[in-house]
Amino acid sequence: ATLGIFDEGFYPAYYEEVDYCYRARAAGARVVYEPAAVAIHHESQSSDKRTAVYHRAMERGRVRFVLKNYPPDQLLNAFFPAELDYVQHVTADFARDVCAPLYADVLTNLPPLSPERAAEIVEALRHLRAAARHVAAHHTATLREVPMPEPLPPLNVPALHEYDFQSN
């Protein structure tokens, strides 16, 4: 009742649960991960993780989450410069098939933005879209190997227990 439903702006998929957990934590709730949990989707469609459609949806959710939840100064001073560096190092095909369309889509379906910085944020997104189009048209990007971070130590979380509640 406090959090509401998933943000439909993430439709059709990706990052809606991250956003929901983020909102839950911000509201003071605990977010619990149960690795043994199983969910069965009776009606669903999986996408091939090697397709541009998959990558566009995944990247779109990532960018929407960041735009929705990061403070404007962090967006403008950290996220957008890092995102521009990322775009300048993807392949031309990835820039054409994933990055340029995803920034265009995000510009069309923006989450609510900080009113005092909205114009700067929109301009930064336009700049990213233009950079992706430039890479797609004029550039063979230099791919970089990105080192994987060290795995995080496991959380010391007590085991979950199921309780039978009885009520009349």
Side-chain angles (χ1 to χ4, degrees), residues 51-53 55-57 91-102 132 136:
T51 67
V53 171
H55 285 287
R56 265 195 312 269
T91 66
D93 288 347
F94 195 84
R96 180 193 66 239
D97 298 339
V98 176
C99 296
L102 99 83

Side-chain angles (χ1 to χ4, degrees), residues 20 61 80 127 134 155 160:
Y20 198 80
F80 287 126
H127 183 67
H134 179 80
L155 294 174
L160 296 178

Side-chain angles (χ1 to χ4, degrees), residues 31-48:
V31 175
V32 180
Y33 167 68
E34 172 50 68
V38 175
I40 299 172
H41 291 261
H42 291 286
E43 296 180 21
S44 71
Q45 178 180 348
S46 295
S47 61
D48 185 344

Side-chain angles (χ1 to χ4, degrees), residues 7 9-10 19 60-61 63-69 75 105-114 118 121-122 125:
D7 177 348
F10 288 98
D19 178 67
R60 182 183 163 281
V63 172
R64 181 178 178 81
F65 174 79
V66 170
L67 289 174
K68 184 177 172 184
N69 294 296
L75 284 171
D105 184 80
V106 168
L107 279 161
T108 305
N109 300 293
L110 285 169
L113 299 173
S114 165
I121 293 167
V122 168
L125 284 165

